[in-house]
Amino acid sequence: MYTKDELFQAISTVIDPEVGFNLVEMGLIYDASCDEEGNAKVVMTLSTKACPMHQMILQWVKEAVEKLPNVKSADVEVVWEPQWNISMADENVKKALGAA
Amino acid sequence: MVKISQDFAPPFKLIAPFFLIGSLFYFFASVYLFSFDAANLSFVNPDMMAFVHLFLLGFVMMVIFGAMAQLVPVVLEVGHFGVELFYAIWPLLLTGTLLMVFGFLYFPALLPYGGVTVLISMLIFVGEIFLTIFKVKKLTLVMSSLLISNTFLFFGIIFGLLMALSYAGTVSLDIASLLKAHVYAVLGGYIAITVMGLSIVLVPMFTLSHSFSLKPLKISLIMMSMAVVSVVISSFFKIDILAYTGYALAAVSMIVYFYLIYIIYSTRPRKENDIYAVSLMFSYISMLVSIVIVVFYFLTQKEEFLLASMWLFFFGFFAFLITGHIYKIIPFLVWFEKFSPLVGKQKVPMLADMVPYKSSQAQFVFCAVGVVLITIAILTKGDALLHAGASFLFIGTLAFIRNVFYMINFKA
């Protein structure tokens, strides 16, 4: 129903308030899909396991996807493999953080 | 309204008093410095005891306890056993600290009351932390560090209470032995091990660092634990060799820990030198210089080296590590409370927007200059330099209070 790119576009409205970049350009969203019935699934990670915003960020991603008109529900799964690192972020993020 | 569990972020009204009172005590400690005479500084002086407790209990422990209310669930990945207990901890710690400070200064009879009040607040804290740790199914290295540090805190406060009772004449015990055991259990056992464990979670979190080995942390935790046990045993059984072994182990432990921080810091993807980063740099450099100075103390046995080393460890290492983290913790808690419900509905500030840039830079510069001047003043016994340094710290800590209030009352 929605392509991976469309779902990523919706999730890119979610910004990490600590670093100031959206989750997609941070490279935190690993995969996203949506079936014909409007059930979406997002696979993502966080920059650290001990993130105090863990629950909030998951909720924001869920809400961002569920804002799409034909999505009935969104399931967000957090995985720790592969572990996130800065090489997964977009070039503009790396440059802004001084990691490029 | 988005429903978010409070497990990982206790209500700010619960934590705010710890930070507000802590920052006020940091300021009071800087004011207290004006009363010292650089030529007559001594650890056994009651004025010094009052000052050390004003700083360590009123500022360091107060802020650490408040920070732990938020950080323990983050580190342990479980909710608190009873986070409401923190509402009782700060009033008791505040009352106990004041009683102890006035006890040292004017009325020694107040010391047991102050000691018992502090003991109760710390027992509540330790009990809550232990019961929270028991909820964890599998302990990681960092979680183990919390368990170890709180165990040392428990013994440290028992030694402190016995000392307070002896000081007031209620019981007759060897105060010098208890003092050594108390200082090492609290400073090395609790504060240093807590700092080691938590910083290995927090520093990589804020610098986005990954892929470093935790082996140095394991080594430094073991060495510091052995150091504390050695010194405590040596203080009661008068075994000098054990004491010196403990001192050496503690110094090497801190150097190994510094090595790990250096690795994390030098490979960090996030290179910006914000107030957090520069505060930590000053903090860790102070720690290294403090270790170098204490070596001179053991070589010369001159008390000014020990005083200067402790000064740098307290006001350089501890204070800058704490203030640096406060610039991260308060904005997060205030943001969580005020702005997180508005995400997606209106523009919300970033966490960095909530830190007053110029004022925080001023706080850093004034406090850093003050710490350096006073270190030189202690080593050279220069009274004018001591008061000049105190003046810088006075302004710096005043700016810090202003910054804490600014962040707490931040409006977008």
Side-chain angles (χ1 to χ4, degrees):
Chain A
M1 181 173 288
Y2 286 104
T3 65
K4 182 174 167 178
D5 283 348
E6 286 170 325
L7 292 168
F8 270 46
Q9 184 67 36
I11 299 165
S12 68
T13 56
V14 180
I15 292 170
D16 179 340
E18 169 60 28
V19 286
F21 298 104
N22 76 58
L23 303 189
V24 175
E25 60 186 348
M26 284 286 289
L28 295 167
I29 309 299
Y30 287 167
D31 196 15
S33 58
C34 184
D35 65 20
E36 288 303 318
E37 281 79 45
N39 300 309
K41 176 158 185 175
V42 178
V43 180
M44 64 174 291
T45 192
L46 295 166
S47 60
T48 170
K49 275 189 180 177
C51 179
M53 294 195 200
H54 185 131
Q55 293 167 299
M56 255 191 295
I57 289 173
L58 301 198
Q59 187 66 37
W60 294 336
V61 171
K62 185 177 163 65
E63 287 178 350
V65 173
E66 287 179 345
K67 269 185 189 168
L68 291 168
N70 296 322
V71 170
K72 278 199 300 192
S73 70
D75 177 33
V76 183
E77 184 188 358
V78 178
V79 295
W80 302 109
E81 289 292 336
Q83 188 188 36
W84 181 87
N85 64 69
I86 194 67
S87 68
M88 296 173 179
D90 288 355
E91 284 307 312
N92 67 310
V93 175
K94 290 184 209 166
K95 200 173 168 187
L97 292 175
Chain B
M1 176 71 73
V2 178
K3 281 188 183 172
I4 300 291
S5 163
Q6 293 286 311
D7 280 357
F8 282 70
F12 188 61
K13 65 177 181 182
L14 181 146
I15 300 177
F18 288 93
F19 292 143
L20 286 170
I21 295 166
S23 58
L24 286 170
F25 271 101
Y26 187 29
F27 171 71
F28 293 146
S30 77
V31 173
Y32 196 116
L33 287 165
F34 287 102
S35 70
F36 283 121
D37 172 6
N40 296 307
L41 295 172
S42 172
F43 275 118
V44 290
N45 191 329
D47 288 356
M48 184 65 82
M49 300 271 199
F51 172 70
V52 169
H53 284 83
L54 182 71
F55 178 77
L56 285 181
L57 287 178
F59 173 54
V60 176
M61 296 300 253
M62 188 70 79
V63 174
I64 287 181
F65 285 2
M68 294 297 262
Q70 192 226 334
L71 296 176
V72 162
V74 171
V75 172
L76 299 181
E77 297 169 33
V78 294
H80 273 285
F81 169 80
V83 77
E84 296 79 10
L85 289 168
F86 281 80
Y87 284 117
I89 291 172
W90 72 259
L92 288 167
L93 186 57
L94 170 65
T95 310
T97 302
L98 291 173
L99 286 172
M100 290 195 78
V101 169
F102 285 106
F104 279 120
L105 283 176
Y106 309 113
F107 313 107
L110 287 178
L111 283 173
Y113 299 104
V116 168
T117 313
V118 169
L119 175 81
I120 294 168
S121 79
M122 291 192 176
L123 283 179
I124 295 171
F125 174 79
V126 170
E128 203 283 334
I129 299 293
F130 277 142
L131 290 166
T132 304
I133 291 174
F134 293 154
K135 290 169 73 176
V136 177
K137 290 191 175 77
K138 190 181 173 203
L139 284 181
T140 63
L141 184 60
V142 173
M143 295 169 185
S144 303
S145 73
L146 286 185
L147 188 61
I148 295 166
S149 68
N150 281 278
T151 305
F152 280 128
L153 178 62
F154 176 76
F155 285 105
I157 49 185
I158 298 289
F159 298 144
L161 178 69
L162 290 173
M163 204 167 56
L165 291 170
S166 305
Y167 203 81
T170 313
V171 294
S172 179
L173 295 165
D174 181 4
I175 291 179
S177 299
L178 285 167
L179 175 65
K180 200 189 262 187
H182 171 67
V183 167
Y184 251 72
V186 174
L187 286 182
Y190 180 67
I191 301 180
I193 290 180
T194 298
V195 163
M196 285 177 187
L198 285 185
S199 61
I200 297 306
V201 174
L202 296 174
V203 176
M205 182 194 295
F206 294 127
T207 56
L208 300 174
S209 299
H210 288 88
S211 309
F212 53 87
S213 165
L214 282 177
K215 203 170 179 184
L217 175 67
K218 192 174 183 180
I219 294 169
S220 35
L221 286 176
I222 292 170
M223 290 181 96
M224 184 57 82
S225 303
M226 286 167 63
V228 174
V229 172
S230 297
V231 176
V232 169
I233 292 172
S234 78
S235 64
F236 291 122
F237 297 101
K238 315 288 180 212
I239 309 168
D240 283 350
I241 185 73
L242 208 54
Y244 283 104
T245 307
Y247 301 149
L249 280 170
V252 176
S253 161
M254 294 309 287
I255 291 168
V256 174
Y257 164 65
F258 175 83
Y259 166 75
L260 178 56
I261 289 290
Y262 174 76
I263 295 291
I264 293 170
Y265 211 74
S266 58
T267 57
R268 72 195 193 281
R270 195 176 181 183
K271 304 282 188 199
E272 64 179 320
N273 287 324
D274 57 6
I275 185 66
Y276 173 76
V278 293
S279 298
L280 261 61
M281 275 186 227
F282 187 86
S283 166
Y284 286 109
I285 290 169
S286 298
M287 185 192 85
L288 274 191
V289 178
S290 164
I291 292 171
V292 172
I293 295 176
V294 88
V295 172
F296 281 99
Y297 167 72
F298 285 114
L299 293 174
T300 64
Q301 293 295 313
K302 287 185 177 173
E303 196 181 13
E304 58 263 34
F305 284 115
L306 187 58
L307 285 162
S309 173
M310 287 297 103
W311 163 259
L312 266 181
F313 208 74
F314 289 179
F315 274 76
F317 179 45
F318 288 159
F320 278 77
L321 198 66
I322 287 171
T323 54
H325 278 98
I326 281 182
Y327 286 122
K328 289 286 187 188
I329 295 172
I330 293 183
F332 167 72
L333 291 169
V334 173
W335 191 94
F336 185 91
E337 190 124 319
K338 281 187 186 172
F339 300 110
S340 68
L342 304 175
V343 170
K345 299 181 181 73
Q346 66 179 67
K347 193 174 185 309
V348 294
M350 295 291 110
L351 297 182
D353 301 335
M354 300 170 70
V355 177
Y357 178 78
K358 283 184 181 169
S359 185
S360 62
Q361 296 290 321
Q363 176 264 316
F364 172 80
V365 171
F366 276 92
C367 285
V369 171
V371 167
V372 173
L373 287 180
I374 292 176
T375 307
I376 299 167
I378 295 169
L379 290 171
T380 60
K381 301 193 175 182
D383 213 33
L385 208 53
L386 177 76
H387 292 118
S391 304
F392 273 95
L393 265 175
F394 176 83
I395 297 168
T397 53
L398 206 55
F400 183 67
I401 292 176
R402 186 257 177 196
N403 297 342
V404 167
F405 275 92
Y406 177 91
M407 292 187 289
I408 288 175
N409 297 309
F410 183 83
K411 289 178 180 66

